[in-house]
Amino acid sequence: MTVEEISGHAGALAVAAARQHGVETMFTLSGAHVFPMYDGAVNADPPMRLLDVRHEQTAAFAAEATGKLTRIPGLAVLTAGPGVTNGISAITQAHFAGSPMVVIGGRAPNNRWGTGSLQELDQPPIIAPVSKLARTLHTAADVLPGVDEAFRTAGSSHRGPVFLDIPMDEFFNSSSGQLPTGERVAGVEPDPEAISEIAELLAQARQPVLVLGTDVWADHAEDAALRLVESAGLPAITNGMGRGVVPGGHRLLVTKARGQALGSADLVVVVGTPLDFRLGYGVFGGKDGAAAARVVHIADSPGQLSGHAELAASVSGDLTLVMDGLAAALEQVVRRPDWSSWVSGLQDTVAAASERDRALLTADADPIHPARIYGELVPRLGEDAVVIGDGGDFVSFAGKFIEPKRPGGWLDPGPYGCLGAGLGAAIAARLARPSAQVTLLFGDGAAGFSLMDVDTLVRHNLPVVMVMGNNSAWGLEKGPMQMLYGYDVVADLGERTGYDQVVRALGGAGETVTDPAQIGPALDRAYASGVPYLVNVITDVNAAYPRNTFGI
């Protein structure tokens, strides 16, 4: 392999190293501490795209979503001090969700450090607890190897965010060195004995369930996961970016029978997602007097295996090798298990749930039931659709009714539950999937965190359809507080606020909908518009999502 030597100022070197790792876009908000990064992008051959936003959180959320969608670490460049701290929620979301991203921050100059220069803050210790690596590159000579290390670290299992900052004076200094190859770190070989043990547990099970999470997609294991499901006949539930690994409507996708499946199973195999509050902390079975289920946890790296749940078996490593290894091991079982009656019962539950859903999806209630929005939206979603959730109750309904046909097309905040990520994710989706249908689902509360960045969509010509369930409240808090105290406070928002007028003022388009019969036509106008378009649907605040957990 030929080694290429390059030279330039630190910003140019950082851009060159990032490009070797597949970076095409730098998400940023203008700041003098990082001007050399912009100069490096403009003068690169070809130039690197600069995508500037109205709030640093949006730049960081866009980089996080880019990492999810492309499985290549996204890049955010944030100016020193408040620019960096404004990005911490997105970095933390990436930490919880396992999203590969690199954030390069400005830093007060070395030659003034300790004298109180503008925005002088030692940033890495603040970010270290929510990142894989956080460090300062103290000299221009550190930049090429340091940025290379950052991208390799962010993109290797278990994926996550990396933070670097570079002192302002060193950013302008020049250096030279070897251009990184951009070679990716290979996945870890799983333990074959552990795979055999899990295969034996599956062979013994009468009512198994497979749960597929975000890391199945992140680890490029979606094809292997579907092969395992279909070859073994395993009923599957998907969550996070695992949605679509088993396509919506597939006979073995039983997410709509989740309660029965996880409550009646005798073996639950969880792949690529933590055993957290979303999965009952890893306690399954016990429904209608059934025994507790045995639990198997499969992860992309040892540190992701549950330390609190009682596990019958576990394995970590490259998830494609794990899935294909399990499929091969099951083929060798002398007496293949027959799960047909179990699967048939779950399919009946799915069919019954779908029938119950139909009444909500077609409801003519006034005010509008939020489910009716999905009754109109789901038939209009293309197979290539990227659906982004940024909200509480309204987005919970989306998780119930939307079953993607392909993997890699569902973005939600993940276990960190951070509102405000939506517009950054929409920006990333439009760039990463230029021909896809991009739909951002907004709660009216969540929209307040980022709606100003519609200006970014307009300035960069990024058409996105935004669909808002506007119940004039923090619905996810209003209902539980009423349940606990018999009243609620600080849970109401402005009544029937015209958020579509905000979008129009920023150069987009939109409309308010109060009649359920007009939701469909409004969506059609939005998708045909070719501009950022908000469909602001006024919904019933009392039509709350029925939930079994409040995340504690």
Side-chain angles (χ1 to χ4, degrees):
M1 180 182 295
T2 303
V3 176
E4 183 180 349
E5 290 278 335
I6 64 168
S7 61
H9 63 65
L13 298 178
V15 167
R19 173 158 275 163
Q20 288 296 100
H21 287 274
V23 173
E24 297 179 353
T25 302
M26 181 190 303
F27 299 101
T28 192
L29 191 156
S30 186
H33 284 86
V34 291
F35 277 178
M37 291 293 296
Y38 306 154
D39 184 68
V42 169
N43 289 295
D45 185 17
M48 179 177 285
R49 180 194 290 121
L50 288 166
L51 197 296
D52 63 307
V53 300
R54 297 297 301 272
H55 192 304
E56 286 93 354
Q57 68 166 8
T58 300
F61 280 126
E64 192 257 353
T66 296
K68 286 176 173 173
L69 289 163
T70 67
R71 299 180 283 198
I72 294 170
L75 172 64
V77 173
L78 309 179
T79 198
V84 168
T85 56
N86 280 344
I88 288 179
S89 286
I91 294 169
T92 308
Q93 176 166 294
H95 170 70
F96 276 84
S99 308
M101 68 181 293
V102 173
V103 177
I104 296 179
R107 183 179 175 93
N110 276 342
N111 61 12
R112 285 290 187 187
W113 194 261
T115 66
S117 60
L118 176 66
Q119 297 167 343
E120 181 181 307
L121 176 68
D122 191 14
Q123 296 156 158
I126 299 172
I127 298 173
V130 290
S131 62
K132 293 187 71 175
L133 174 67
R135 59 178 292 221
T136 298
L137 303 181
H138 287 284
T139 71
D142 296 331
V143 169
L144 273 175
V147 173
D148 180 44
E149 178 193 28
F151 277 93
R152 287 168 59 84
T153 301
S156 61
S157 300
H158 179 64
R159 295 158 187 85
V162 170
F163 175 77
L164 305 173
D165 62 8
I166 301 172
M168 188 177 186
D169 47 352
E170 287 298 322
F171 242 142
F172 285 90
N173 284 344
S174 294
S175 186
S176 60
Q178 293 183 356
L179 185 66
T181 64
E183 185 178 356
R184 297 182 183 180
V185 178
V188 177
E189 191 90 17
D191 179 359
E193 292 186 6
I195 291 175
S196 297
E197 182 182 1
I198 296 168
E200 186 59 36
L201 288 170
L202 279 166
Q204 296 168 5
R206 293 177 297 104
Q207 297 182 169
V209 175
L210 183 66
V211 179
L212 301 171
T214 290
D215 290 336
V216 174
W217 164 257
D219 212 37
H220 298 263
E222 65 274 14
D223 292 340
L226 185 58
R227 285 195 296 269
L228 173 62
V229 167
E230 293 183 333
S231 65
L234 267 170
I237 293 168
T238 58
N239 78 359
M241 291 203 75
R243 290 174 178 269
V245 169
V246 182
H250 194 287
R251 64 184 183 84
L252 291 169
L253 181 64
V254 297
T255 304
K256 288 183 180 294
R258 177 190 176 105
Q260 179 186 343
L262 296 180
S264 301
D266 61 358
L267 177 69
V268 178
V269 180
V270 178
V271 186
T273 192
L275 298 176
D276 58 18
F277 69 93
R278 298 170 299 170
L279 288 173
Y281 303 100
V283 177
F284 307 108
K287 184 179 175 67
D288 299 327
R294 291 184 290 184
V295 181
V296 171
H297 200 195
I298 299 173
D300 62 4
S301 57
Q304 293 304 301
L305 293 172
S306 176
H308 65 267
E310 184 178 338
L311 301 179
S314 65
V315 68
S316 63
D318 183 290
L319 293 182
T320 291
L321 297 179
V322 173
M323 302 287 196
D324 284 342
L326 277 175
L330 282 171
E331 289 288 341
Q332 301 303 313
V333 172
V334 175
R335 188 174 180 180
R336 292 293 302 276
D338 181 5
W339 300 319
S340 57
S341 62
W342 165 238
V343 170
S344 178
L346 294 175
Q347 290 170 336
D348 289 344
T349 301
V350 169
S354 299
E355 185 61 34
R356 288 194 303 273
D357 290 346
R358 191 168 291 114
L360 289 176
L361 293 169
T362 58
D364 287 325
D366 182 12
I368 295 169
H369 194 291
R372 175 61 187 269
I373 299 173
Y374 295 104
E376 300 293 340
L377 176 64
V378 170
R380 290 171 166 83
L381 291 176
E383 286 204 6
D384 66 346
V386 178
V387 179
I388 301 152
D390 191 6
D393 253 28
F394 182 58
V395 173
S396 295
F397 280 106
K400 178 179 176 67
F401 296 126
I402 296 176
E403 291 189 335
K405 297 291 186 182
R406 298 179 186 175
W410 172 272
L411 291 172
D412 62 25
Y416 191 52
C418 187
L419 298 181
L423 264 168
I427 291 166
R430 175 48 68 219
L431 294 176
R433 311 270 175 87
S435 63
Q437 186 186 57
V438 177
T439 303
L440 170 56
L441 305 173
F442 258 147
D444 54 325
F449 287 88
S450 65
L451 199 59
M452 194 67 195
D453 263 303
V454 167
D455 170 75
T456 302
L457 296 178
V458 171
R459 285 184 295 109
H460 291 276
N461 191 27
L462 303 174
V464 168
V465 171
M466 296 161 278
V467 182
M468 178 181 288
N470 183 351
N471 64 4
S472 305
W474 296 104
L476 196 58
E477 284 68 40
K478 188 178 181 73
M481 189 170 184
Q482 289 176 341
M483 179 187 71
L484 288 170
Y485 295 105
Y487 68 91
D488 66 86
V489 293
V490 297
D492 292 313
L493 299 171
E495 188 172 353
R496 299 193 171 202
T497 298
Y499 294 101
D500 53 300
Q501 296 175 33
V502 177
V503 171
R504 290 201 297 273
L506 293 171
E511 58 189 284
T512 293
V513 178
T514 58
D515 179 356
Q518 293 305 310
I519 298 171
L523 291 172
D524 291 337
R525 287 188 287 273
Y527 285 120
S529 71
V531 299
Y533 197 110
L534 175 63
V535 180
N536 179 24
V537 185
I538 307 302
T539 61
D540 185 359
V541 70
N542 294 312
Y545 183 78
R547 59 188 66 256
N548 297 318
T549 177
F550 297 110
I552 56 175

